[in-house]
Amino acid sequence: MNLHHLAIFHAIAETGSISAAALRMHVSQPALSRELKAFEARLGVVLFERQPRGMRLTDPGKVLHGYSTRLFAVADSAQAAMRDFADARAGQLSIGASNTIGTYVLPRYIARFRRAFPGIGISLFVGNTEQVAQGVADLRFTLGFVEGPIRVEGVAVDAFSRDELIPVVGADHPLALRKRMRQSDIDGEPLLMREPGSGTRELIATLLKQLGVETGSIVEFGNTEALKQAAIHGGGIAWLPTISVSSELQDGRLVKLPVRALALQRPLSIIRREGAWQAPAVDAFLKLLR
């Protein structure tokens, strides 16, 4: 069925006259009359009784009007749904984040975003840099937030902030009482590290190699909180983000090692799939974050 003809029929049925329908559709009355006649001829039925004061639906016209009303109501709903997407009032935002950002940075922004855009669903996956970057490349995540270097192709990287990793030990660790230290003083000491694939671990390993530090035994942990608890209980030296240990440093459960060369500055980056469509919800979230 020709939807243009159906729209003409619907406009006449709704307004009750050719002239009013012509005004609504921005066409001339003669043109509208010709289109209606062509439509009736194609269907093989008469849709309207022509009366001195307007148009009256015939029985076939009443049946067709029921269909056209439902059809154009769906069209209006579709248009409204697209408008909601365009205005960031609807949609789904799937975020992948490496451990520090996902645990200590994003939750408060997600809460603020939900208050501002309650119609948008949000999911947050927290993993390591490699998992997040691969998820963005595979389009499983709309956005990614990572702390380490990217080894995955097909993603665009944009730094949005910086973070500091500091070497810490528990209060009972032998190095906790040292007021002065050299980097060589940690030679052979047990280290607490994230799992392979973590951008944080890669940065620390590169730093220790550059400094010529002899690494001791390594115990691996899958997240920052577990690593922090192991450090508090004397398991070894851990490099932790300053944002994650402020209260522990303040109350003395953790102690920062006094070696400036062992601290690390690292960029916090946003990653997106190259060439992927960016929903307005993404723009709204990034605007709030920045």
Side-chain angles (χ1 to χ4, degrees):
M1 182 173 289
N2 186 307
L3 289 180
H4 173 63
H5 283 162
L6 186 63
I8 288 172
F9 160 80
H10 188 70
I12 297 171
E14 290 289 301
T15 61
S17 73
I18 293 282
S19 58
L23 286 173
R24 175 186 284 193
M25 299 199 71
H26 307 290
V27 296
S28 68
Q29 292 185 43
L32 203 68
S33 295
R34 287 194 300 271
E35 295 282 5
L36 176 59
K37 287 180 181 179
F39 189 38
E40 289 178 320
R42 172 177 289 184
L43 296 178
V45 296
V46 175
L47 298 172
F48 294 99
E49 293 178 5
R50 279 69 171 173
Q51 297 180 332
R53 291 193 170 186
M55 307 284 279
R56 180 180 176 183
L57 286 165
T58 62
D59 287 342
K62 290 175 183 177
V63 172
L64 186 59
H65 185 226
Y67 282 106
S68 68
T69 298
R70 293 195 295 273
L71 179 63
F72 289 114
V74 171
D76 290 342
S77 295
Q79 183 171 336
M82 295 303 100
R83 190 163 53 245
D84 283 346
F85 274 99
D87 296 339
R89 292 198 300 262
Q92 180 70 29
L93 190 56
S94 178
I95 300 174
S98 50
N99 203 264
T100 297
I101 302 176
T103 304
Y104 300 103
V105 178
L106 290 184
R108 64 180 180 271
Y109 290 104
I110 289 175
R112 288 171 56 189
F113 185 78
R114 284 287 295 157
R115 289 194 294 270
F117 301 94
I120 297 177
I122 303 180
S123 63
L124 173 63
F125 167 84
V126 179
N128 62 41
T129 295
E130 183 178 340
Q131 292 170 329
V132 173
Q134 191 61 58
V136 172
D138 295 341
L139 296 177
R140 286 182 287 119
F141 307 134
T142 315
L143 278 176
F145 296 87
V146 296
E147 303 132 14
I150 309 299
R151 299 283 183 260
V152 175
E153 295 184 357
V155 297
V157 183
D158 179 22
F160 74 96
S161 186
R162 296 193 68 80
D163 181 33
E164 185 180 34
L165 286 169
I166 57 173
V168 296
V169 294
D172 295 331
H173 193 283
L175 294 177
L177 300 177
R178 300 282 291 272
K179 300 298 181 184
R180 293 185 178 180
M181 285 180 59
R182 294 172 297 178
Q183 58 213 40
S184 59
D185 290 338
I186 70 169
D187 283 347
E189 289 285 340
L191 304 180
L192 309 176
M193 294 281 214
R194 290 288 307 280
E195 77 287 355
S198 162
T200 298
R201 176 166 178 164
E202 185 176 345
L203 289 170
I204 295 168
T206 300
L207 174 67
L208 296 180
K209 184 176 181 180
Q210 291 172 347
L211 296 176
V213 172
E214 181 183 335
T215 57
S217 61
I218 295 175
V219 183
E220 297 176 353
F221 296 87
N223 61 71
T224 302
E225 278 299 309
L227 200 156
K228 179 168 67 175
Q229 291 302 317
I232 289 173
H233 292 92
I237 302 171
W239 276 258
L240 291 168
T242 53
I243 193 174
S244 72
V245 294
S246 55
S247 61
E248 289 81 6
L249 291 174
Q250 188 172 358
D251 63 27
R253 284 179 292 163
L254 287 175
V255 176
K256 178 182 177 181
L257 296 182
V259 185
R260 183 176 298 178
L262 292 177
L264 269 172
Q265 293 284 332
R266 60 180 180 174
L268 305 182
S269 301
I270 302 165
I271 56 175
R272 284 168 279 189
R273 171 78 180 187
E274 288 182 345
W277 174 70
Q278 184 161 299
V282 172
D283 292 329
F285 185 80
L286 294 179
K287 183 178 179 181
L288 183 148
L289 182 71
R290 287 176 168 136

